[in-house]
């Protein structure tokens, strides 16, 4: 397993170009199964997760290829509606092919993704939405088998999610666009990545009202056509690099990104003392002195995103004063705490709350990445520690951060990949 060797202490400063959003690209790639034609998707990040999904989609017979950051997919000759365990188990978001396959072919067989390090993460809401559209669902030998009603087409319905779920909303939208009749989805996730998916589907000919609101009304169409679309920039990658500036009296300019999607995070950065300036497609964070302590509660959009919790915690570790962080989205998303403690942080966890007492500096140590976003909090913390740290299990970071070593080097981080 590869590791990172990081030698601090660095001032994190410089310019970095942000890639396309991982969490938007995954549903958009899955949506490329839907049209009876060829689609072109630009700004797709080069990541383990996008590679896995492309492999999975290719397995259904879609002619799909990625060149640079552009993916071309011709879904006219789909032959198979099966997503095997070997691929699904490496990436939970593989479940996003269930909606498109079921909508297009009236049948789908997708391995259940299972739990992951940040929680059990069931997909019951995805399945309930399909059932509401008339699908019969069985789970056999670890596979979800879904079948549309007689005639092979899902039927429009009224459905309200029991909780706000990003993936559940995305899967339900992709199923509803080809259903017979009107589907009214309530308590939908409003995350920018859900909005991006809905916009791409509209360019394919889908009829969707209420995009970006909790209630979406979708009038099913008989067929979708191919389209050309560009993935939005990655708000979490943006926030992760900006956080580095706050931890190191640094100065980070993120380009090819948008402040629109990062508002709650930028507001927190400001209350911690950072000077944030923004333009049409850039955000800059400049930090002078130590950050101030803050209180954070993760919430669904437009609240503070859970995917920035670990990185903000790393900033709080160096803040003047005591911060409180409440994790409301996932039940087990403090796995990075013991690792940050190894780097000298003072953190106490009680259930969903973490109390962080700021320390003057991190100290180098060997640590282990525990999940995707947690890995970045450890990388940044190690960069701010005076000496050499080793970060193990960095396959997590390879899943979600495009060209991470080069981008970190451009920001002054002394980082080396140790092949294992
Ligand atoms: C997506 C993001 C992930 C982010 C999360 C929350 C992708 C690929 N991943 O994950 O980075 O952290 O949104 O913003 O876009 N739940 C259920 N039943 C369901 C579905 C969800 O109980 O059927 C629960 C989950 O266990 C979790 C919460 O709802 O506690 C939110 O999950 P969800 O919004 O679905 O997250 P993902 O789509 O998996």
């Amino acid at each position: 397993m590869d590791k990172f060797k990081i030698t601090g202490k660095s001032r994190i400063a410089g310019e970095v170009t942000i890639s396309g959003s991982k969490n938007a690209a995954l549903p958009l790639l899955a949506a490329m199964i839907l049209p009876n034609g060829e689609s072109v998707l630009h700004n797709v990040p080069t990541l383990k997760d996008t590679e896995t999904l492309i492999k999975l989609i290719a397995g259904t017979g879609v002619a799909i290829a990625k060149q640079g950051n552009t993916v071309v997919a011709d879904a006219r000759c789909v032959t198979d509606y099966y997503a095997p365990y070997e691929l699904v188990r490496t990436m939970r978001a593989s479940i996003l092919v269930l909606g498109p396959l079921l909508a297009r072919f009236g049948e789908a067989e997708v391995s259940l993704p299972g739990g992951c390090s940040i929680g059990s993460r069931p997909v019951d809401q995805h399945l309930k939405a399909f059932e509401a559209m008339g699908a019969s669902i069985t789970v056999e030998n670890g596979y979800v088998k879904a079948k549309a009603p007689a005639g092979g087409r899902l039927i429009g319905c009224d459905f309200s999610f029991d909780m706000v779920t990003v993936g559940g909303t995305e899967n339900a939208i992709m199923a509803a666009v080809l259903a017979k009749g009107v589907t009214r989805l309530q308590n939908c996730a409003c995350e920018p990545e859900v909005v991006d998916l809905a916009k791409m589907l509209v360019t394919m000919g889908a009829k969707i009202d209420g995009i970006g609101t909790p209630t979406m009304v979708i009038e099913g169409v008989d067929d979708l056509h191919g389209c050309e679309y560009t993935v939005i920039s990655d708000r979490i990658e943006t926030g992760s690099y900006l956080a580095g500036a706050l931890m190191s009296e640094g100065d980070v300019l993120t380009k090819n990104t948008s402040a629109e999607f990062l508002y709650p995070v930028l507001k927190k950065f400001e209350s911690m003392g950072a000077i944030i300036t923004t333009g049409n497609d850039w955000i800059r964070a400049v930090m002078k002195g130590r950050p101030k302590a803050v209180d954070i509660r993760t919430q669904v959009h437009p609240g503070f995103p859970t995917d920035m919790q670990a990185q903000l915690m790393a900033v709080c570790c160096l803040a003047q004063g005591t911060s409180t962080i409440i994790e409301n989205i996932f039940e087990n998303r403090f796995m990075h705490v013991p690792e940050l403690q190894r780097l000298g942080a003072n953190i106490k966890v009680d259930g969903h709350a973490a109390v962080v007492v700021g320390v003057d500096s991190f100290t180098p140590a060997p640590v282990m990445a525990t999940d995707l976003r947690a890995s970045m909090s450890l990388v940044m913390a190690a960069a701010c520690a005076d000496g050499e740290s080793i970060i193990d299990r960095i396959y997590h970071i390879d899943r979600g951060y495009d060209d991470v070593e080069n981008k970190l080097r451009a920001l002054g981080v002394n980082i080396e990949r140790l092949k294992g």
Side-chain angles (χ1 to χ4, degrees):
M1 263 185 277
D2 288 6
K3 298 176 184 161
F4 278 152
K5 180 168 100 179
I6 296 180
T7 313
K9 190 175 189 173
S10 299
R11 175 171 182 260
I12 298 171
E15 289 184 12
V16 64
T17 300
I18 299 304
S19 299
S21 158
K22 171 183 88 77
N23 285 357
L26 295 175
L28 296 187
L29 287 169
M32 290 173 106
I33 296 174
L34 284 165
N36 191 12
E38 185 182 277
S39 298
V40 180
L41 188 59
H42 301 290
N43 204 28
V44 178
T46 302
L47 304 168
K48 197 84 204 130
D49 274 11
T50 47
E51 195 187 299
T52 303
L53 191 55
I54 288 169
K55 242 189 237 168
L56 205 151
I57 293 170
T60 66
V62 174
I64 184 167
K66 179 166 178 291
Q67 211 159 39
N69 292 322
T70 296
V71 172
V72 180
D74 185 340
R76 273 172 289 205
C77 304
V78 183
T79 47
D80 210 339
Y81 42 77
Y82 176 75
Y85 176 65
E86 296 71 54
L87 287 174
V88 176
R89 77 186 168 91
T90 66
M91 187 188 64
R92 292 183 43 81
S94 310
I95 194 74
L96 289 172
V97 300
L98 185 53
L101 288 174
L102 180 60
R104 179 98 195 263
F105 306 103
E107 216 167 332
E109 199 173 322
V110 176
S111 167
L112 266 177
C116 73
S117 58
I118 59 175
S120 60
R121 296 178 84 175
V123 292
D124 57 304
Q125 298 299 308
H126 304 229
L127 304 186
K128 274 188 181 177
F130 300 144
E131 277 176 334
M133 292 178 212
S136 62
I137 307 273
T138 53
V139 178
E140 284 168 41
N141 308 112
Y143 279 77
V144 178
K145 296 185 179 179
K147 220 175 162 85
R153 197 164 167 197
L154 295 169
I155 300 163
C157 68
D158 268 356
F159 181 76
S160 180
F161 293 98
D162 295 335
M163 71 199 49
V164 176
T165 151
V166 173
T169 303
E170 291 166 345
N171 235 339
I173 299 173
M174 290 189 280
V177 287
L178 287 179
K180 191 163 180 238
V182 175
T183 301
R184 188 182 161 87
L185 298 174
Q186 306 221 49
N187 201 20
C188 293
C190 303
E191 267 65 4
E193 295 77 17
V194 177
V195 172
D196 210 31
L197 170 66
K199 284 183 176 170
M200 173 160 143
L201 291 168
V202 167
T203 67
M204 288 176 169
K207 294 186 179 164
I208 309 177
D209 272 344
I211 294 174
T213 75
T215 302
M216 286 206 245
V217 180
I218 300 158
E219 190 185 329
V221 294
D222 292 343
D223 255 323
L224 292 172
H225 52 76
C227 75
E228 188 162 359
Y229 196 78
T230 300
V231 181
I232 52 168
S233 59
D234 197 312
R235 62 190 169 117
I236 305 302
E237 187 194 20
T238 308
S240 301
Y241 290 126
L242 292 173
L246 278 83
M247 294 167 70
S248 63
E249 298 198 43
D251 180 350
V252 171
L253 174 66
T254 52
K255 297 194 299 190
N256 193 28
T257 188
S258 169
E260 186 192 335
F261 309 133
L262 211 57
Y263 183 80
V265 175
L266 298 179
K267 283 288 143 206
K268 278 294 167 205
F269 285 165
E270 281 180 339
S271 51
M272 296 181 104
I275 299 156
I276 303 289
T277 44
T278 62
N280 232 0
D281 61 353
W282 58 267
I283 308 173
R284 181 178 177 193
V286 179
M287 189 73 188
K288 297 202 169 86
R290 269 177 79 178
K292 294 181 199 126
V294 281
D295 293 332
I296 296 160
R297 286 170 179 272
T298 62
Q299 282 168 335
V300 297
H301 190 76
F304 189 90
T306 174
D307 285 353
M308 277 300 297
Q309 183 254 103
Q311 301 89 313
L312 250 288
M313 183 182 281
V315 182
C316 292
C317 289
L318 295 177
Q320 251 168 335
T322 301
S323 306
T324 308
I325 300 176
I326 315 267
E327 172 56 51
N328 288 314
I329 308 295
F330 290 107
E331 74 258 31
N332 190 25
R333 207 167 192 178
F334 285 140
M335 304 269 288
H336 43 283
V337 168
E339 304 305 313
L340 287 170
Q341 284 168 336
R342 292 175 58 75
L343 291 161
N346 180 352
I347 309 167
K348 285 200 172 59
V349 173
D350 184 4
H352 283 224
V355 176
V356 186
V357 180
V359 295
D360 289 344
S361 64
F362 284 112
T363 46
V367 290
M368 194 175 73
T370 51
D371 73 61
L372 169 54
R373 305 303 168 184
S375 350
M376 193 45 117
S377 72
L378 300 177
V379 165
M380 289 298 183
C384 297
D386 198 355
E388 188 183 293
S389 298
I390 301 288
I391 303 183
D392 204 348
R393 301 204 177 177
I394 56 162
Y395 59 85
H396 287 294
I397 214 164
D398 292 334
R399 285 190 39 220
Y401 285 92
D402 190 0
D403 200 19
V404 65
E405 287 129 278
N406 284 329
K407 290 189 186 188
L408 285 164
R409 276 189 204 114
L411 294 178
V413 176
N414 188 344
I415 183 167
E416 196 185 327
R417 182 180 288 258
L418 308 175
K419 290 270 176 201

Short mmCIF file of all heavy atoms in Angstrom, two decimals, residues 22-24 26-27 92-93 96 118 120-126 163-168 170 191 193 235 306-307 329-331 333 373, ligand 1:
data_model
loop_
_atom_site.label_atom_id
_atom_site.label_comp_id
_atom_site.label_asym_id
_atom_site.label_seq_id
_atom_site.Cartn_x
_atom_site.Cartn_y
_atom_site.Cartn_z
N LYS A 22 -15.92 15.42 -7.79
CA LYS A 22 -16.09 13.96 -7.75
C LYS A 22 -17.56 13.61 -7.53
O LYS A 22 -18.12 12.78 -8.24
CB LYS A 22 -15.26 13.36 -6.61
CG LYS A 22 -15.56 11.88 -6.37
CD LYS A 22 -14.79 11.30 -5.21
CE LYS A 22 -15.47 11.46 -3.88
NZ LYS A 22 -16.59 10.54 -3.63
N ASN A 23 -18.18 14.25 -6.55
CA ASN A 23 -19.54 13.87 -6.19
C ASN A 23 -20.58 14.28 -7.22
O ASN A 23 -21.70 13.77 -7.21
CB ASN A 23 -19.91 14.44 -4.82
CG ASN A 23 -19.23 13.68 -3.68
OD1 ASN A 23 -18.54 12.70 -3.94
ND2 ASN A 23 -19.40 14.15 -2.46
N ALA A 24 -20.21 15.22 -8.11
CA ALA A 24 -21.10 15.52 -9.23
C ALA A 24 -20.80 14.57 -10.38
O ALA A 24 -21.72 14.05 -11.03
CB ALA A 24 -20.94 16.97 -9.67
N LEU A 26 -19.81 11.53 -10.48
CA LEU A 26 -20.28 10.14 -10.36
C LEU A 26 -21.73 9.99 -10.82
O LEU A 26 -22.01 9.17 -11.70
CB LEU A 26 -20.05 9.61 -8.94
CG LEU A 26 -18.57 9.51 -8.53
CD1 LEU A 26 -18.43 9.11 -7.06
CD2 LEU A 26 -17.82 8.51 -9.41
N PRO A 27 -22.69 10.78 -10.28
CA PRO A 27 -24.05 10.63 -10.83
C PRO A 27 -24.15 11.04 -12.30
O PRO A 27 -24.94 10.45 -13.05
CB PRO A 27 -24.90 11.56 -9.94
CG PRO A 27 -23.95 12.43 -9.21
CD PRO A 27 -22.66 11.67 -9.12
N ARG A 92 -19.08 2.83 -2.90
CA ARG A 92 -20.51 2.78 -2.59
C ARG A 92 -21.37 3.48 -3.64
O ARG A 92 -22.50 3.08 -3.90
CB ARG A 92 -20.76 3.45 -1.25
CG ARG A 92 -20.21 2.72 -0.06
CD ARG A 92 -20.61 3.45 1.18
NE ARG A 92 -22.00 3.86 1.09
CZ ARG A 92 -23.03 3.07 1.33
NH1 ARG A 92 -22.84 1.84 1.72
NH2 ARG A 92 -24.27 3.51 1.19
N ALA A 93 -20.81 4.54 -4.25
CA ALA A 93 -21.61 5.31 -5.20
C ALA A 93 -22.00 4.50 -6.44
O ALA A 93 -22.80 4.95 -7.25
CB ALA A 93 -20.87 6.59 -5.62
N LEU A 96 -25.50 4.10 -7.75
CA LEU A 96 -26.14 5.11 -8.62
C LEU A 96 -26.46 4.58 -10.02
O LEU A 96 -27.18 5.24 -10.76
CB LEU A 96 -25.23 6.34 -8.75
CG LEU A 96 -25.11 7.21 -7.49
CD1 LEU A 96 -24.06 8.28 -7.67
CD2 LEU A 96 -26.47 7.85 -7.16
N ILE A 118 -17.32 5.33 7.61
CA ILE A 118 -17.99 6.44 8.28
C ILE A 118 -19.42 6.09 8.72
O ILE A 118 -20.14 6.94 9.21
CB ILE A 118 -17.97 7.75 7.45
CG1 ILE A 118 -18.64 7.57 6.09
CG2 ILE A 118 -16.56 8.26 7.30
CD1 ILE A 118 -18.76 8.87 5.30
N SER A 120 -22.93 2.88 8.58
CA SER A 120 -23.52 1.72 7.90
C SER A 120 -24.05 2.12 6.52
O SER A 120 -24.08 1.31 5.60
CB SER A 120 -24.63 1.13 8.75
OG SER A 120 -25.62 2.09 8.97
N ARG A 121 -24.48 3.33 6.36
CA ARG A 121 -24.92 3.89 5.08
C ARG A 121 -25.86 2.99 4.29
O ARG A 121 -25.53 2.53 3.19
CB ARG A 121 -23.71 4.30 4.23
CG ARG A 121 -22.91 5.40 4.88
CD ARG A 121 -21.70 5.77 4.10
NE ARG A 121 -21.99 6.73 3.04
CZ ARG A 121 -21.05 7.29 2.27
NH1 ARG A 121 -19.79 6.96 2.46
NH2 ARG A 121 -21.35 8.15 1.35
N PRO A 122 -27.06 2.75 4.81
CA PRO A 122 -28.01 1.92 4.07
C PRO A 122 -28.51 2.62 2.80
O PRO A 122 -28.31 3.82 2.63
CB PRO A 122 -29.16 1.74 5.06
CG PRO A 122 -29.05 2.87 6.02
CD PRO A 122 -27.60 3.26 6.07
N VAL A 123 -29.16 1.84 1.92
CA VAL A 123 -29.72 2.42 0.69
C VAL A 123 -31.24 2.22 0.65
O VAL A 123 -31.84 2.20 -0.40
CB VAL A 123 -29.05 1.85 -0.59
CG1 VAL A 123 -27.61 2.29 -0.70
CG2 VAL A 123 -29.15 0.33 -0.64
N ASP A 124 -31.84 2.08 1.85
CA ASP A 124 -33.27 1.81 1.92
C ASP A 124 -34.11 2.88 1.22
O ASP A 124 -35.13 2.58 0.60
CB ASP A 124 -33.72 1.66 3.38
CG ASP A 124 -33.38 2.89 4.21
OD1 ASP A 124 -32.19 3.27 4.23
OD2 ASP A 124 -34.29 3.48 4.82
N GLN A 125 -33.67 4.14 1.30
CA GLN A 125 -34.46 5.22 0.69
C GLN A 125 -34.44 5.13 -0.84
O GLN A 125 -35.43 5.43 -1.50
CB GLN A 125 -33.93 6.59 1.13
CG GLN A 125 -34.04 6.83 2.62
CD GLN A 125 -35.48 6.78 3.11
OE1 GLN A 125 -36.36 7.45 2.57
NE2 GLN A 125 -35.73 5.96 4.11
N HIS A 126 -33.30 4.72 -1.39
CA HIS A 126 -33.22 4.52 -2.85
C HIS A 126 -34.27 3.47 -3.25
O HIS A 126 -35.06 3.67 -4.18
CB HIS A 126 -31.85 3.98 -3.27
CG HIS A 126 -30.66 4.79 -2.84
ND1 HIS A 126 -29.65 5.16 -3.72
CD2 HIS A 126 -30.28 5.30 -1.64
CE1 HIS A 126 -28.73 5.83 -3.06
NE2 HIS A 126 -29.08 5.93 -1.79
N MET A 163 -35.62 10.89 5.04
CA MET A 163 -34.49 11.74 5.46
C MET A 163 -33.90 12.34 4.19
O MET A 163 -34.19 11.83 3.09
CB MET A 163 -33.43 10.91 6.16
CG MET A 163 -32.72 10.04 5.17
SD MET A 163 -31.85 8.66 5.83
CE MET A 163 -33.00 7.90 6.88
N VAL A 164 -33.12 13.36 4.36
CA VAL A 164 -32.51 13.95 3.17
C VAL A 164 -31.32 13.09 2.78
O VAL A 164 -30.40 12.88 3.56
CB VAL A 164 -32.06 15.41 3.44
CG1 VAL A 164 -31.35 15.97 2.23
CG2 VAL A 164 -33.27 16.26 3.80
N THR A 165 -31.36 12.54 1.57
CA THR A 165 -30.25 11.73 1.08
C THR A 165 -29.83 12.18 -0.31
O THR A 165 -30.67 12.29 -1.21
CB THR A 165 -30.59 10.21 1.08
OG1 THR A 165 -29.84 9.54 0.04
CG2 THR A 165 -32.05 9.91 0.87
N VAL A 166 -28.54 12.43 -0.44
CA VAL A 166 -28.00 12.92 -1.71
C VAL A 166 -28.12 11.82 -2.77
O VAL A 166 -28.74 12.00 -3.81
CB VAL A 166 -26.52 13.36 -1.53
CG1 VAL A 166 -25.89 13.71 -2.87
CG2 VAL A 166 -26.43 14.54 -0.57
N GLY A 167 -27.53 10.65 -2.47
CA GLY A 167 -27.55 9.55 -3.44
C GLY A 167 -28.96 9.07 -3.72
O GLY A 167 -29.30 8.76 -4.87
N GLY A 168 -29.79 9.02 -2.69
CA GLY A 168 -31.17 8.57 -2.86
C GLY A 168 -31.93 9.50 -3.79
O GLY A 168 -32.67 9.07 -4.69
N GLU A 170 -30.61 11.44 -6.07
CA GLU A 170 -30.06 11.32 -7.43
C GLU A 170 -30.59 10.07 -8.13
O GLU A 170 -30.99 10.11 -9.29
CB GLU A 170 -28.53 11.28 -7.35
CG GLU A 170 -27.96 12.63 -6.91
CD GLU A 170 -26.49 12.60 -6.47
OE1 GLU A 170 -25.95 11.50 -6.21
OE2 GLU A 170 -25.89 13.67 -6.37
N GLU A 191 -28.20 19.62 -2.59
CA GLU A 191 -26.76 19.81 -2.78
C GLU A 191 -26.46 20.24 -4.23
O GLU A 191 -27.17 19.82 -5.16
CB GLU A 191 -26.03 18.49 -2.48
CG GLU A 191 -25.53 18.34 -1.06
CD GLU A 191 -26.62 18.26 0.03
OE1 GLU A 191 -27.81 18.26 -0.30
OE2 GLU A 191 -26.25 18.21 1.21
N GLU A 193 -24.44 19.19 -6.23
CA GLU A 193 -24.19 18.03 -7.11
C GLU A 193 -25.51 17.45 -7.61
O GLU A 193 -25.57 16.93 -8.74
CB GLU A 193 -23.38 16.97 -6.35
CG GLU A 193 -21.96 17.41 -5.96
CD GLU A 193 -21.89 18.34 -4.74
OE1 GLU A 193 -22.88 18.41 -3.98
OE2 GLU A 193 -20.85 19.00 -4.56
N ARG A 235 -16.25 21.56 -4.82
CA ARG A 235 -16.28 22.51 -3.68
C ARG A 235 -15.48 21.96 -2.50
O ARG A 235 -14.92 22.70 -1.72
CB ARG A 235 -17.73 22.84 -3.29
CG ARG A 235 -18.54 21.67 -2.81
CD ARG A 235 -20.02 22.01 -2.67
NE ARG A 235 -20.78 20.80 -2.45
CZ ARG A 235 -21.49 20.52 -1.36
NH1 ARG A 235 -21.56 21.38 -0.38
NH2 ARG A 235 -22.15 19.39 -1.25
N THR A 306 -20.67 17.92 5.73
CA THR A 306 -19.94 16.90 6.48
C THR A 306 -18.59 16.57 5.82
O THR A 306 -17.64 16.22 6.51
CB THR A 306 -20.80 15.62 6.64
OG1 THR A 306 -20.01 14.60 7.24
CG2 THR A 306 -21.33 15.09 5.32
N ASP A 307 -18.53 16.72 4.49
CA ASP A 307 -17.28 16.40 3.79
C ASP A 307 -16.16 17.40 4.09
O ASP A 307 -15.02 17.19 3.66
CB ASP A 307 -17.51 16.33 2.27
CG ASP A 307 -18.24 15.04 1.88
OD1 ASP A 307 -18.43 14.17 2.74
OD2 ASP A 307 -18.63 14.92 0.70
N ILE A 329 -24.56 14.16 10.19
CA ILE A 329 -24.94 13.40 9.00
C ILE A 329 -24.57 11.92 9.11
O ILE A 329 -25.37 11.05 8.79
CB ILE A 329 -24.29 14.01 7.73
CG1 ILE A 329 -24.57 15.51 7.63
CG2 ILE A 329 -24.76 13.28 6.46
CD1 ILE A 329 -26.01 15.90 7.42
N PHE A 330 -23.36 11.64 9.54
CA PHE A 330 -22.91 10.24 9.64
C PHE A 330 -22.65 9.87 11.10
O PHE A 330 -22.20 10.71 11.88
CB PHE A 330 -21.65 10.01 8.79
CG PHE A 330 -21.93 10.08 7.32
CD1 PHE A 330 -21.52 11.17 6.56
CD2 PHE A 330 -22.64 9.06 6.69
CE1 PHE A 330 -21.79 11.24 5.20
CE2 PHE A 330 -22.91 9.13 5.33
CZ PHE A 330 -22.50 10.21 4.59
N GLU A 331 -22.87 8.59 11.43
CA GLU A 331 -22.78 8.19 12.84
C GLU A 331 -21.36 7.94 13.30
O GLU A 331 -21.09 7.86 14.48
CB GLU A 331 -23.69 6.96 13.12
CG GLU A 331 -23.19 5.65 12.58
CD GLU A 331 -23.90 5.22 11.31
OE1 GLU A 331 -24.32 6.09 10.52
OE2 GLU A 331 -24.03 4.00 11.11
N ARG A 333 -18.20 9.50 12.02
CA ARG A 333 -17.27 10.27 11.18
C ARG A 333 -16.23 11.02 12.00
O ARG A 333 -15.85 12.15 11.65
CB ARG A 333 -18.04 11.21 10.26
CG ARG A 333 -17.21 11.47 9.02
CD ARG A 333 -17.93 12.13 7.90
NE ARG A 333 -17.11 12.05 6.69
CZ ARG A 333 -17.45 12.49 5.52
NH1 ARG A 333 -18.63 13.02 5.35
NH2 ARG A 333 -16.64 12.39 4.48
N ARG A 373 -11.98 12.10 3.12
CA ARG A 373 -11.76 13.49 3.54
C ARG A 373 -10.85 13.56 4.76
O ARG A 373 -10.07 14.49 4.91
CB ARG A 373 -13.09 14.17 3.85
CG ARG A 373 -14.07 14.12 2.70
CD ARG A 373 -13.52 14.73 1.43
NE ARG A 373 -14.37 14.42 0.29
CZ ARG A 373 -14.11 14.75 -0.95
NH1 ARG A 373 -12.98 15.37 -1.26
NH2 ARG A 373 -14.92 14.44 -1.93
C1 LIG B 1 -23.02 11.75 -0.58
C2 LIG B 1 -21.59 12.08 -0.89
C3 LIG B 1 -20.74 12.09 0.37
C4 LIG B 1 -21.36 13.04 1.40
C5 LIG B 1 -22.84 12.70 1.63
C6 LIG B 1 -23.54 13.70 2.54
C7 LIG B 1 -21.35 11.20 -3.12
C8 LIG B 1 -20.73 10.19 -4.01
N1 LIG B 1 -21.09 11.10 -1.83
O1 LIG B 1 -23.04 10.43 -0.04
O2 LIG B 1 -19.42 12.53 0.03
O3 LIG B 1 -20.66 12.91 2.62
O4 LIG B 1 -23.54 12.70 0.38
O5 LIG B 1 -23.44 14.98 2.02
O6 LIG B 1 -22.02 12.10 -3.58
N2 LIG B 1 -29.11 7.19 4.51
C9 LIG B 1 -30.00 6.22 4.90
N3 LIG B 1 -30.69 5.55 3.93
C10 LIG B 1 -30.52 5.80 2.60
C11 LIG B 1 -29.60 6.79 2.22
C12 LIG B 1 -28.90 7.47 3.19
O7 LIG B 1 -30.18 5.96 6.09
O8 LIG B 1 -31.17 5.15 1.77
C13 LIG B 1 -28.33 7.93 5.54
C14 LIG B 1 -26.84 7.67 5.44
O9 LIG B 1 -26.47 6.51 6.17
C15 LIG B 1 -26.27 8.93 6.02
C16 LIG B 1 -27.27 10.02 5.59
O10 LIG B 1 -28.47 9.32 5.28
O11 LIG B 1 -26.24 8.87 7.42
C17 LIG B 1 -26.83 10.83 4.40
O12 LIG B 1 -26.46 9.98 3.35
P1 LIG B 1 -26.52 10.41 1.82
O13 LIG B 1 -26.93 11.84 1.74
O14 LIG B 1 -27.33 9.42 1.08
O15 LIG B 1 -25.01 10.28 1.38
P2 LIG B 1 -24.41 9.63 0.09
O16 LIG B 1 -25.26 9.94 -1.08
O17 LIG B 1 -24.06 8.21 0.37
#
